[in-house]
Amino acid sequence: MSETTRAESGEYVSDILEWTLPDEFTDDVSAAAFERSVDEGWGDGLPVIAPTRQRVRRMLDAADLSAEDVVAVLPPRNGVATAEKIAANAVMAGCRPQDMPAVVAAVEAVAIPEYELYGTNTTTNPCAPLLIVNGPARARLGLNTSWGMFGPCFRPNATIGRALNLTLINIAGRVPGEISKGTYKMPGAFTLCAAEWEEESPWEPLHVSRGFAATDCVATTLSVAGTTNIVDSDSHTGMDLAYTLAHTMSIYGTNSWIFYGQGESALMLSPPHAHLLAESFDTRRELQEFFHETCRIPLQHFPEFRIERMRRRGLHVIDERGVWISNRPDQFMVFVAGGPGGYHSCFLPGFGDSYATSRPF
């Protein structure tokens, strides 16, 4: 029977119900753990796996950590993120033991001062951590680098990113209304985990550009405020495409660009876009320099009071072409991922003065 026919017939529904709801599991420990996570405020509103001592111990063993090892201190609550507490959040998120080193590295990365965890956890901005994994761990953990990478159906991407976010809720204190003042937040606050498709990148992998060896496994984090799709199926040269990308990223109202002129934002290039760009830009750095020189917001897009305020603050470069959205090329973090079909890339605007941070694992 074809998938379409099965879906139309409802056979999938009956199969799933028969498989997931046998009588002996109607009151299992996971259901109880979910209810308690809601009652105690330990979760994110989605079902969790019960963090039993045995499961937590398997996580710790996989990362070669002791329960009391201090991984980081996480503001604004300044909660002490011990290995045991991180492991408990990883279990609740649905991680496997082999995922634990990546989770620990991600927690270490957001704790680096340049990430600005205090601000990102307390701001009214809807930002959440983007996590990018590089190196051999991508294959070892089965991380998706291709179609639907940010969407459902891929356990490692979903659960590793979720473990980081649960840790920020339960240890850093990113509780909506109490500490986190995100006006509406965004789905990335559940999980937003990418793995760079290094084999499809025409340039060196992201982590190599950040000073690591190609054989290193690295977690890179950046606070981002959403995802903006960029479609271009008409450009025939890399330069034409680069203009599409540059003008799309020059958005009036984006936190990093308009209010601070600082921080980093991310551009995730699909393989077709990356290969086309490589015909005009030999290196990632050349592309970043193009964006730095090209990305402008025209002066007529601003009310006069805002132009004057930006001039007084002195954080932006303003000339006859408009307001520069960056102060240096490396404020554009470029990496390659996503499906090889179609002609879509993704702009992830950053938050304020938050910069990308990386930790090996």
Side-chain angles (χ1 to χ4, degrees):
M1 181 180 292
S2 70
E3 288 192 2
T4 302
T5 305
R6 288 190 62 174
E8 291 174 348
S9 71
E11 183 176 337
Y12 277 146
V13 175
S14 63
D15 286 351
I16 291 170
L17 289 178
E18 290 172 4
W19 179 65
T20 59
L21 297 177
D23 290 341
E24 63 267 28
F25 291 110
T26 55
D27 294 317
D28 70 2
V29 67
S30 289
F34 176 36
E35 294 299 332
R36 187 168 182 186
S37 75
V38 174
D39 294 341
E40 302 287 346
W42 295 338
D44 54 9
L46 297 176
V48 300
I49 302 297
T52 62
R53 293 189 182 277
Q54 185 180 36
R55 288 171 178 156
V56 169
R57 171 49 55 192
R58 287 199 291 265
M59 289 285 180
L60 293 171
D61 290 344
D64 194 24
L65 292 169
S66 298
E68 64 276 7
D69 288 343
V70 175
V71 173
V73 176
L74 303 178
R77 184 182 285 168
N78 289 329
V80 178
T82 63
E84 183 178 47
K85 291 178 181 178
I86 295 171
N89 283 282
V91 171
M92 287 197 297
C95 289
R96 305 157 300 174
Q98 60 264 39
D99 301 326
M100 181 65 175
V103 175
V104 171
V107 174
E108 290 176 329
V110 298
I112 295 172
E114 287 74 16
Y115 183 89
E116 226 290 78
L117 190 58
Y118 185 98
T120 60
N121 275 341
T122 59
T123 180
T124 57
N125 191 277
C127 58
L130 165 68
L131 172 59
I132 307 168
V133 177
N134 277 100
R138 298 169 305 129
R140 185 172 71 245
L141 299 180
L143 284 156
N144 179 28
T145 64
S146 183
W147 287 293
M149 182 187 53
F150 282 147
C153 302
F154 304 101
R155 179 180 180 178
N157 297 65
T159 58
I160 293 172
R162 187 187 182 199
L164 172 60
N165 279 284
L166 283 176
T167 298
L168 295 181
I169 293 170
N170 292 317
I171 303 178
R174 196 190 74 190
V175 179
E178 296 179 19
I179 289 178
S180 173
K181 303 300 183 181
T183 302
Y184 57 85
K185 220 53 180 173
M186 69 155 179
F190 284 104
T191 182
L192 191 64
C193 179
E196 184 171 33
W197 197 348
E198 299 174 15
E199 295 78 10
E200 283 291 328
S201 175
W203 311 298
E204 79 276 11
L206 175 66
H207 67 309
V208 173
S209 73
R210 296 180 61 81
F212 296 93
T215 54
D216 290 338
C217 298
V218 178
T220 297
T221 57
L222 176 65
S223 181
V224 298
T227 58
T228 298
N229 182 61
I230 305 175
V231 59
D232 186 335
S233 58
D234 300 322
S235 290
H236 296 292
T237 71
M239 188 60 70
D240 290 343
L241 173 59
Y243 277 107
T244 299
L245 300 171
H247 293 315
T248 303
M249 291 190 291
S250 302
I251 301 173
Y252 179 22
T254 297
N255 187 282
S256 286
W257 303 153
I258 298 306
F259 295 105
Y260 297 97
Q262 302 180 60
E264 289 183 55
S265 289
L267 177 63
M268 185 178 78
L269 298 171
S270 65
H273 276 179
H275 290 302
L276 183 59
L277 287 166
E279 295 177 6
S280 300
F281 302 92
D282 292 333
T283 66
R284 175 189 279 103
R285 180 70 181 185
E286 287 183 10
L287 180 62
Q288 291 172 310
E289 290 173 350
F290 172 84
F291 290 147
H292 176 57
E293 294 294 331
T294 307
C295 289
R296 304 283 189 278
I297 302 176
L299 292 178
Q300 61 265 33
H301 289 187
F302 297 89
E304 188 59 34
F305 86 90
R306 194 175 296 281
I307 292 290
E308 291 305 314
R309 186 175 75 168
M310 286 191 291
R311 290 188 192 277
R312 288 195 304 270
R313 297 179 74 176
L315 298 176
H316 296 78
V317 176
I318 303 174
D319 59 22
E320 68 280 358
R321 294 171 56 200
V323 178
W324 296 40
I325 69 173
S326 58
N327 291 318
R328 59 179 193 269
D330 60 8
Q331 287 178 260
F332 300 91
M333 185 176 72
V334 178
F335 67 102
V336 178
Y343 295 88
H344 300 264
S345 288
C346 181
F347 172 50
L348 299 99
F351 164 76
D353 55 355
S354 176
Y355 292 86
T357 52
S358 300
R359 292 291 294 178
F361 63 93

Coordinates of all heavy atoms in Angstrom, one line a residue, residues 109-194:
A109 N 29.6 26.4 26.2 CA 29.7 27.5 25.2 C 28.9 28.7 25.5 O 29.3 29.8 25.4 CB 29.4 26.9 23.8
V110 N 27.6 28.4 26.0 CA 26.8 29.5 26.3 C 27.2 30.2 27.6 O 26.8 31.4 27.8 CB 25.3 29.1 26.4 CG1 24.7 28.6 25.1 CG2 25.0 28.1 27.5
A111 N 28.0 29.6 28.4 CA 28.5 30.2 29.6 C 29.7 31.1 29.4 O 30.1 31.9 30.2 CB 28.9 29.1 30.6
I112 N 30.3 31.1 28.2 CA 31.4 32.0 27.8 C 30.9 33.4 27.8 O 29.8 33.6 27.2 CB 32.0 31.5 26.5 CG1 32.7 30.1 26.6 CG2 33.1 32.6 26.0 CD1 33.2 29.6 25.3
P113 N 31.5 34.3 28.4 CA 31.0 35.7 28.5 C 30.5 36.3 27.2 O 29.5 37.1 27.2 CB 32.1 36.5 29.2 CG 32.9 35.5 30.0 CD 32.8 34.2 29.2
E114 N 31.2 36.1 26.1 CA 30.9 36.7 24.9 C 29.5 36.3 24.4 O 28.9 37.1 23.6 CB 31.9 36.4 23.8 CG 33.2 37.1 23.9 CD 34.1 36.5 25.1 OE1 33.8 35.4 25.6 OE2 35.1 37.2 25.5
Y115 N 29.0 35.2 24.9 CA 27.6 34.8 24.5 C 26.6 35.7 25.1 O 25.5 35.9 24.6 CB 27.3 33.3 24.9 CG 26.0 32.9 24.5 CD1 25.8 32.3 23.2 CD2 24.9 33.0 25.3 CE1 24.6 31.8 22.8 CE2 23.6 32.5 24.9 CZ 23.5 32.0 23.7 OH 22.2 31.5 23.3
E116 N 26.9 36.3 26.3 CA 26.1 37.2 27.0 C 24.8 36.5 27.5 O 23.7 36.9 27.1 CB 25.7 38.4 26.1 CG 25.9 39.8 26.8 CD 24.9 40.0 27.9 OE1 25.0 39.5 29.0 OE2 23.9 40.8 27.6
L117 N 25.0 35.5 28.3 CA 23.8 34.7 28.7 C 22.9 35.4 29.6 O 21.7 35.2 29.5 CB 24.4 33.4 29.4 CG 23.3 32.4 29.7 CD1 22.7 31.9 28.5 CD2 24.0 31.2 30.5
Y118 N 23.4 36.3 30.4 CA 22.5 37.1 31.3 C 21.5 37.9 30.4 O 20.3 37.8 30.6 CB 23.3 38.1 32.2 CG 22.4 38.8 33.1 CD1 22.3 38.4 34.5 CD2 21.6 39.9 32.8 CE1 21.5 39.0 35.4 CE2 20.8 40.6 33.6 CZ 20.7 40.2 34.9 OH 19.9 40.8 35.8
G119 N 22.0 38.6 29.4 CA 21.1 39.4 28.6 C 20.1 38.6 27.8 O 19.0 38.9 27.7
T120 N 20.6 37.5 27.2 CA 19.8 36.6 26.3 C 18.7 35.9 27.1 O 17.7 35.6 26.6 CB 20.6 35.6 25.5 OG1 21.3 34.8 26.5 CG2 21.6 36.3 24.7
N121 N 19.0 35.7 28.4 CA 18.0 35.0 29.2 C 17.0 35.9 29.9 O 15.9 35.4 30.3 CB 18.7 34.2 30.4 CG 19.1 32.8 29.9 OD1 18.7 32.3 28.9 ND2 20.1 32.2 30.7
T122 N 17.2 37.2 29.9 CA 16.3 38.1 30.5 C 15.6 39.1 29.6 O 14.7 39.8 30.0 CB 17.1 39.0 31.6 OG1 18.1 39.7 31.0 CG2 17.7 38.1 32.7
T123 N 16.1 39.2 28.4 CA 15.6 40.2 27.4 C 14.2 40.0 27.0 O 13.6 38.9 27.1 CB 16.5 40.2 26.2 OG1 16.0 41.2 25.2 CG2 16.4 38.8 25.5
T124 N 13.6 41.1 26.5 CA 12.2 41.0 25.9 C 12.3 40.4 24.5 O 11.3 40.0 23.9 CB 11.6 42.4 25.9 OG1 12.4 43.3 25.1 CG2 11.3 42.9 27.3
N125 N 13.5 40.3 23.9 CA 13.7 39.8 22.6 C 13.4 38.3 22.6 O 13.6 37.6 23.6 CB 15.2 40.0 22.2 CG 15.5 39.7 20.8 OD1 15.6 38.5 20.4 ND2 15.5 40.7 19.9
P126 N 12.9 37.7 21.5 CA 12.5 36.3 21.5 C 13.6 35.4 21.3 O 13.4 34.2 20.9 CB 11.5 36.3 20.4 CG 12.0 37.3 19.4 CD 12.4 38.4 20.3
C127 N 14.8 35.8 21.6 CA 16.0 35.0 21.2 C 16.1 33.6 21.9 O 15.6 33.5 23.0 CB 17.3 35.8 21.4 SG 17.5 36.3 23.0
A128 N 16.8 32.7 21.3 CA 17.1 31.4 21.9 C 18.4 30.9 21.3 O 18.9 31.4 20.2 CB 16.0 30.4 21.5
P129 N 19.1 29.9 21.9 CA 20.4 29.5 21.4 C 20.3 28.6 20.1 O 19.6 27.6 20.1 CB 21.0 28.7 22.6 CG 19.8 28.2 23.3 CD 18.7 29.3 23.2
L130 N 21.0 29.0 19.1 CA 21.3 28.2 17.9 C 22.5 27.4 18.3 O 23.5 27.9 18.7 CB 21.6 29.1 16.7 CG 22.2 28.4 15.5 CD1 21.2 27.4 14.9 CD2 22.6 29.4 14.5
L131 N 22.4 26.1 18.1 CA 23.6 25.2 18.3 C 24.0 24.5 17.0 O 23.2 24.0 16.3 CB 23.2 24.1 19.3 CG 24.1 23.0 19.6 CD1 25.5 23.5 20.1 CD2 23.6 21.9 20.6
I132 N 25.3 24.7 16.7 CA 25.8 24.1 15.4 C 26.9 23.1 15.8 O 27.8 23.5 16.6 CB 26.4 25.2 14.5 CG1 25.4 26.3 14.3 CG2 26.9 24.6 13.2 CD1 26.0 27.5 13.6
V133 N 26.8 21.9 15.3 CA 27.8 20.9 15.6 C 28.6 20.6 14.4 O 28.1 20.5 13.3 CB 27.1 19.6 16.1 CG1 28.1 18.5 16.3 CG2 26.3 19.8 17.3
N134 N 30.0 20.6 14.6 CA 30.9 20.2 13.6 C 31.8 19.1 14.0 O 31.9 18.7 15.1 CB 31.8 21.5 13.3 CG 31.2 22.5 12.4 OD1 30.6 23.5 12.9 ND2 31.2 22.2 11.1
G135 N 32.4 18.5 12.9 CA 33.4 17.4 13.2 C 32.8 16.0 13.1 O 31.7 15.8 12.7
P136 N 33.6 15.0 13.4 CA 33.2 13.6 13.3 C 32.0 13.2 14.1 O 31.3 12.3 13.7 CB 34.5 12.9 13.8 CG 35.6 13.8 13.6 CD 35.1 15.2 13.8
A137 N 31.7 14.0 15.1 CA 30.5 13.7 16.0 C 29.2 13.7 15.2 O 28.2 13.1 15.5 CB 30.4 14.6 17.2
R138 N 29.2 14.5 14.1 CA 28.0 14.6 13.3 C 27.5 13.2 12.8 O 26.3 12.9 13.0 CB 28.2 15.5 12.1 CG 28.6 16.9 12.4 CD 29.1 17.7 11.1 NE 30.2 17.0 10.5 CZ 30.2 16.6 9.2 NH1 29.2 16.9 8.4 NH2 31.2 16.0 8.7
A139 N 28.4 12.4 12.3 CA 28.1 11.1 11.8 C 27.9 10.1 13.0 O 27.0 9.3 12.9 CB 29.2 10.6 10.8
R140 N 28.8 10.2 13.9 CA 28.7 9.3 15.1 C 27.4 9.4 15.8 O 26.8 8.4 16.3 CB 29.9 9.6 16.0 CG 30.0 8.6 17.2 CD 31.2 8.8 18.0 NE 31.2 10.0 18.8 CZ 32.0 11.0 18.6 NH1 32.9 11.0 17.6 NH2 32.0 12.1 19.3
L141 N 26.9 10.6 15.9 CA 25.6 10.9 16.7 C 24.4 10.8 15.7 O 23.3 10.8 16.2 CB 25.6 12.2 17.4 CG 26.7 12.4 18.4 CD1 26.6 13.8 19.0 CD2 26.7 11.3 19.5
G142 N 24.6 10.7 14.4 CA 23.5 10.7 13.5 C 22.8 12.0 13.3 O 21.6 12.0 13.0
L143 N 23.5 13.1 13.5 CA 22.8 14.4 13.4 C 22.5 14.7 11.9 O 23.2 14.4 11.0 CB 23.8 15.5 13.9 CG 23.9 15.6 15.4 CD1 25.2 16.3 15.8 CD2 22.7 16.4 15.9
N144 N 21.3 15.2 11.7 CA 20.9 15.6 10.4 C 21.5 16.9 9.9 O 21.4 17.9 10.6 CB 19.3 15.7 10.3 CG 18.8 16.0 9.0 OD1 19.4 15.7 7.9 ND2 17.7 16.7 8.9
T145 N 22.1 16.9 8.7 CA 22.6 18.1 8.1 C 21.8 18.5 6.9 O 22.2 19.6 6.3 CB 24.1 17.8 7.6 OG1 24.0 16.8 6.6 CG2 25.0 17.3 8.8
S146 N 20.8 17.8 6.5 CA 20.2 18.0 5.2 C 18.7 18.4 5.4 O 18.3 19.2 6.2 CB 20.3 16.7 4.4 OG 19.8 16.9 3.1
W147 N 17.8 17.8 4.6 CA 16.4 18.1 4.5 C 15.8 18.2 5.9 O 15.9 17.3 6.7 CB 15.6 17.1 3.7 CG 15.9 17.3 2.2 CD1 15.5 18.3 1.4 CD2 16.5 16.3 1.4 NE1 15.9 18.0 0.1 CE2 16.5 16.8 0.1 CE3 17.1 15.0 1.6 CZ2 17.0 16.1 -1.0 CZ3 17.6 14.4 0.5 CH2 17.6 14.9 -0.8
G148 N 15.0 19.3 6.2 CA 14.2 19.4 7.4 C 15.0 19.4 8.7 O 14.5 19.1 9.7
M149 N 16.3 19.9 8.6 CA 17.2 19.8 9.8 C 16.6 20.4 11.0 O 16.8 19.9 12.1 CB 18.5 20.4 9.4 CG 19.6 20.4 10.4 SD 21.0 21.3 9.8 CE 20.2 22.9 9.4
F150 N 16.0 21.6 10.9 CA 15.4 22.3 12.0 C 14.0 21.8 12.4 O 13.5 22.3 13.4 CB 15.3 23.8 11.7 CG 16.6 24.5 11.8 CD1 16.9 25.6 11.0 CD2 17.6 24.1 12.8 CE1 18.1 26.3 11.1 CE2 18.8 24.8 12.8 CZ 19.1 25.9 12.0
G151 N 13.5 20.8 11.7 CA 12.1 20.4 11.9 C 12.1 19.1 12.7 O 13.1 18.6 13.2
P152 N 10.9 18.5 12.7 CA 10.7 17.2 13.4 C 11.3 16.0 12.7 O 11.8 16.1 11.6 CB 9.2 17.1 13.5 CG 8.7 17.8 12.3 CD 9.7 19.0 12.1
C153 N 11.4 14.9 13.4 CA 11.7 13.6 12.9 C 13.2 13.2 13.1 O 13.6 12.1 12.7 CB 11.3 13.4 11.5 SG 9.6 13.6 11.1
F154 N 14.0 14.1 13.7 CA 15.4 13.8 13.8 C 15.8 13.9 15.3 O 16.0 15.0 15.8 CB 16.2 14.7 12.9 CG 15.8 14.6 11.5 CD1 15.0 15.6 11.0 CD2 16.2 13.5 10.7 CE1 14.6 15.6 9.6 CE2 15.7 13.5 9.4 CZ 15.0 14.5 8.8
R155 N 15.9 12.7 15.9 CA 16.1 12.7 17.4 C 17.3 13.4 17.9 O 17.2 14.2 18.8 CB 16.1 11.2 17.9 CG 16.4 11.1 19.4 CD 16.4 9.7 19.8 NE 16.6 9.6 21.3 CZ 16.6 8.4 21.9 NH1 16.5 7.3 21.3 NH2 16.8 8.4 23.2
P156 N 18.5 13.2 17.3 CA 19.7 13.9 17.9 C 19.6 15.4 17.8 O 19.9 16.1 18.8 CB 20.8 13.4 17.0 CG 20.4 12.1 16.5 CD 18.9 12.3 16.2
N157 N 19.1 15.9 16.6 CA 19.0 17.4 16.5 C 18.0 17.9 17.5 O 18.2 18.9 18.2 CB 18.5 17.8 15.1 CG 19.5 17.4 14.0 OD1 19.8 16.2 13.8 ND2 20.1 18.4 13.4
A158 N 16.8 17.2 17.6 CA 15.8 17.7 18.5 C 16.2 17.6 20.0 O 15.9 18.5 20.8 CB 14.5 16.8 18.3
T159 N 16.8 16.5 20.4 CA 17.0 16.3 21.8 C 18.2 17.0 22.4 O 18.2 17.5 23.5 CB 17.0 14.8 22.1 OG1 18.1 14.2 21.4 CG2 15.7 14.1 21.8
I160 N 19.3 17.1 21.6 CA 20.5 17.7 22.0 C 20.2 19.2 22.2 O 20.5 19.8 23.2 CB 21.7 17.5 21.1 CG1 22.1 16.0 21.1 CG2 22.9 18.4 21.4 CD1 23.1 15.7 20.0
G161 N 19.5 19.8 21.2 CA 19.1 21.2 21.4 C 18.2 21.4 22.5 O 18.2 22.4 23.3
R162 N 17.2 20.5 22.7 CA 16.3 20.6 23.8 C 17.0 20.5 25.1 O 16.6 21.2 26.1 CB 15.2 19.5 23.7 CG 14.1 19.7 24.7 CD 13.1 18.5 24.6 NE 12.0 18.7 25.5 CZ 11.2 17.7 26.0 NH1 11.4 16.5 25.6 NH2 10.2 18.0 26.8
A163 N 18.0 19.6 25.3 CA 18.7 19.5 26.5 C 19.3 20.8 26.9 O 19.3 21.2 28.1 CB 19.7 18.4 26.4
L164 N 19.9 21.5 26.0 CA 20.5 22.8 26.3 C 19.4 23.8 26.8 O 19.6 24.5 27.8 CB 21.2 23.4 25.0 CG 21.7 24.8 25.1 CD1 22.7 24.9 26.2 CD2 22.2 25.3 23.8
N165 N 18.3 23.8 26.1 CA 17.2 24.7 26.6 C 16.6 24.3 27.9 O 16.3 25.2 28.7 CB 16.1 24.8 25.5 CG 16.5 25.7 24.3 OD1 16.5 26.9 24.5 ND2 16.9 25.1 23.2
L166 N 16.5 23.1 28.2 CA 16.0 22.6 29.5 C 17.0 23.0 30.6 O 16.6 23.5 31.7 CB 15.7 21.1 29.5 CG 14.4 20.6 28.9 CD1 14.4 19.1 28.9 CD2 13.2 21.2 29.6
T167 N 18.3 22.9 30.3 CA 19.3 23.3 31.3 C 19.2 24.8 31.5 O 19.3 25.3 32.7 CB 20.7 23.0 30.7 OG1 20.8 21.6 30.6 CG2 21.8 23.5 31.7
L168 N 18.9 25.6 30.5 CA 18.8 27.1 30.7 C 17.5 27.4 31.5 O 17.5 28.4 32.3 CB 18.7 27.8 29.4 CG 20.0 27.7 28.5 CD1 19.9 28.5 27.2 CD2 21.2 28.2 29.3
I169 N 16.5 26.6 31.4 CA 15.3 26.8 32.2 C 15.5 26.4 33.6 O 15.3 27.2 34.6 CB 14.1 26.0 31.6 CG1 13.7 26.6 30.3 CG2 12.9 26.0 32.6 CD1 12.7 25.7 29.5
N170 N 16.0 25.2 33.8 CA 16.1 24.7 35.2 C 17.3 25.1 36.0 O 17.3 25.1 37.2 CB 16.1 23.1 35.1 CG 14.8 22.6 34.6 OD1 13.7 23.1 35.0 ND2 14.8 21.6 33.7
I171 N 18.4 25.5 35.3 CA 19.6 25.9 36.1 C 19.9 27.4 36.0 O 20.1 28.0 37.0 CB 20.8 25.1 35.6 CG1 20.6 23.6 35.8 CG2 22.1 25.5 36.4 CD1 21.7 22.7 35.3
A172 N 19.8 27.9 34.8 CA 20.0 29.3 34.6 C 18.8 30.2 35.0 O 18.9 31.4 35.3 CB 20.3 29.7 33.1
G173 N 17.6 29.6 35.0 CA 16.4 30.3 35.5 C 15.6 30.9 34.4 O 14.9 31.9 34.7
R174 N 15.7 30.5 33.2 CA 15.0 31.1 32.1 C 13.5 30.8 32.1 O 13.0 30.1 31.2 CB 15.6 30.7 30.7 CG 15.2 31.6 29.5 CD 15.7 31.0 28.2 NE 14.9 29.8 27.9 CZ 15.1 29.0 26.9 NH1 16.2 29.2 26.2 NH2 14.3 28.0 26.6
V175 N 12.9 31.3 33.2 CA 11.4 31.0 33.4 C 10.6 32.1 32.9 O 10.8 33.3 33.3 CB 11.1 30.7 34.9 CG1 9.7 30.4 35.1 CG2 12.0 29.6 35.4
P176 N 9.7 31.9 31.9 CA 8.9 33.0 31.4 C 8.2 33.8 32.4 O 7.5 33.3 33.3 CB 7.9 32.3 30.5 CG 8.6 31.0 30.1 CD 9.3 30.6 31.3
G177 N 8.3 35.1 32.3 CA 7.6 36.0 33.2 C 8.3 36.3 34.5 O 8.2 37.4 35.1
E178 N 9.1 35.3 35.0 CA 9.8 35.5 36.3 C 11.2 36.1 36.0 O 11.6 37.1 36.5 CB 10.0 34.2 37.0 CG 8.7 33.5 37.5 CD 8.9 32.2 38.2 OE1 10.1 31.9 38.6 OE2 8.0 31.4 38.3
I179 N 11.9 35.5 35.1 CA 13.2 36.0 34.7 C 13.3 36.3 33.2 O 13.7 37.3 32.8 CB 14.3 35.0 35.1 CG1 14.5 34.9 36.6 CG2 15.7 35.3 34.4 CD1 15.5 33.9 37.1
S180 N 12.8 35.4 32.4 CA 12.8 35.6 30.9 C 11.6 36.5 30.6 O 10.4 36.2 30.9 CB 12.6 34.2 30.2 OG 12.4 34.4 28.8
K181 N 11.9 37.6 30.0 CA 10.8 38.6 29.6 C 10.6 38.6 28.1 O 10.0 39.5 27.6 CB 11.2 40.0 30.1 CG 11.5 40.1 31.6 CD 10.4 39.7 32.4 CE 10.7 39.9 33.9 NZ 9.6 39.6 34.8
G182 N 10.9 37.5 27.5 CA 10.7 37.4 26.0 C 9.3 37.7 25.7 O 8.3 37.0 26.2
T183 N 9.0 38.7 24.9 CA 7.7 39.2 24.6 C 6.8 38.0 24.1 O 5.6 37.9 24.5 CB 7.7 40.3 23.6 OG1 8.5 41.4 24.1 CG2 6.3 40.9 23.3
Y184 N 7.3 37.2 23.2 CA 6.6 36.1 22.7 C 7.4 34.8 22.5 O 6.9 33.8 22.2 CB 5.9 36.4 21.3 CG 6.8 36.9 20.2 CD1 7.4 36.0 19.4 CD2 7.0 38.2 20.0 CE1 8.3 36.4 18.4 CE2 7.9 38.7 19.0 CZ 8.5 37.7 18.2 OH 9.4 38.2 17.2
K185 N 8.7 34.9 22.7 CA 9.7 33.8 22.5 C 9.5 33.3 21.1 O 8.9 33.9 20.2 CB 9.5 32.7 23.6 CG 10.8 32.2 24.1 CD 11.7 33.2 24.6 CE 13.1 32.6 25.1 NZ 14.0 33.7 25.4
M186 N 10.1 32.2 20.8 CA 10.1 31.6 19.5 C 10.3 30.1 19.6 O 10.7 29.6 20.7 CB 11.1 32.2 18.5 CG 12.5 31.8 18.9 SD 13.6 31.9 17.4 CE 15.1 31.4 18.1
P187 N 9.9 29.3 18.6 CA 10.0 27.8 18.7 C 11.4 27.3 19.0 O 11.6 26.3 19.5 CB 9.5 27.3 17.4 CG 8.5 28.4 16.9 CD 9.1 29.7 17.4
G188 N 12.4 28.1 18.6 CA 13.8 27.7 18.9 C 14.1 27.6 20.3 O 15.1 27.1 20.7
A189 N 13.2 28.2 21.2 CA 13.4 28.0 22.6 C 13.1 26.6 23.1 O 13.4 26.3 24.3 CB 12.6 29.0 23.4
F190 N 12.5 25.8 22.3 CA 12.4 24.4 22.5 C 13.7 23.7 22.1 O 14.3 23.0 22.8 CB 11.2 23.7 21.8 CG 9.9 24.0 22.4 CD1 9.0 25.0 21.8 CD2 9.4 23.4 23.5 CE1 7.8 25.2 22.3 CE2 8.2 23.6 24.0 CZ 7.4 24.6 23.4
T191 N 14.1 23.9 20.8 CA 15.3 23.3 20.3 C 15.6 23.9 19.0 O 14.7 24.3 18.2 CB 15.2 21.8 20.1 OG1 16.4 21.2 19.6 CG2 14.1 21.4 19.2
L192 N 16.9 24.2 18.7 CA 17.4 24.7 17.4 C 18.8 24.3 17.2 O 19.8 25.0 17.5 CB 17.3 26.3 17.5 CG 17.5 27.0 16.1 CD1 16.3 26.6 15.2 CD2 17.6 28.5 16.3
C193 N 18.9 23.0 16.8 CA 20.2 22.4 16.7 C 20.5 22.0 15.2 O 19.7 21.3 14.6 CB 20.3 21.1 17.5 SG 21.8 20.2 17.5
A194 N 21.6 22.5 14.7 CA 22.1 22.2 13.4 C 23.4 21.4 13.4 O 24.1 21.5 14.4 CB 22.3 23.5 12.6

